Amino acid sequence: MKSILIPLITLILFSVFTAYSMMNSQESLLDFGARLMGALDTAQVVIDLYILCAMACVWMYQDNRSKGKKVTSVLPYFLLTAIFASIGPLLYLVVNTAKRYRRDAEI
């Protein structure tokens, strides 16, 4: 059960922070992204983040496939990753860890 706590706490805290920051932002998410891509230093960070997001999507796809599930079951996580970056993989990790614990408890 301990292995779910860190991603769960991180997911909750980061989701609350993301919601708070979006509610208090003076610009849309698209405008914010465009502004970040407008400067070389912040563009490098954004590109680096999305390379990591792409790698996380590959991991989620391969993990899902190794469990014999259809690709459609990870599409919501891909969408969350594309929009909110780390929230998608964190949620995938929490959900699948919880499923594993539930399955192990039934045995």
Side-chain angles (χ1 to χ4, degrees):
M1 189 65 168
K2 286 183 182 180
S3 65
I4 197 172
L5 288 179
I6 292 175
L8 179 60
I9 291 168
T10 304
L11 174 64
I12 292 168
L13 292 175
F14 188 64
S15 295
V16 168
F17 176 71
T18 299
Y20 174 78
S21 65
M22 291 182 76
M23 287 187 301
N24 291 297
S25 177
Q26 302 299 316
E27 60 189 343
S28 73
L29 192 57
L30 291 175
D31 290 338
F32 176 68
R35 186 170 48 85
L36 288 176
M37 293 302 289
L40 188 59
D41 55 346
T42 54
Q44 187 278 326
V45 173
V46 171
I47 292 167
D48 188 41
L49 173 66
Y50 277 94
I51 289 171
L52 284 171
C53 287
M55 291 168 43
C57 287
V58 169
W59 164 72
M60 289 185 288
Y61 171 79
Q62 290 177 340
D63 183 65
N64 190 61
R65 190 169 155 207
S66 73
K67 295 174 183 174
K69 296 180 182 177
K70 295 181 180 181
V71 70
T72 54
S73 63
V74 289
L75 291 179
Y77 300 106
F78 291 172
L79 181 62
L80 282 170
T81 303
I83 298 170
F84 299 110
S86 61
I87 289 177
L90 281 168
L91 183 61
Y92 179 86
L93 187 61
V94 168
V95 167
N96 283 281
T97 303
K99 285 179 184 177
R100 188 178 77 229
Y101 279 119
R102 198 172 327 129
R103 187 177 59 245
D104 291 349
E106 291 174 358
I107 296 176

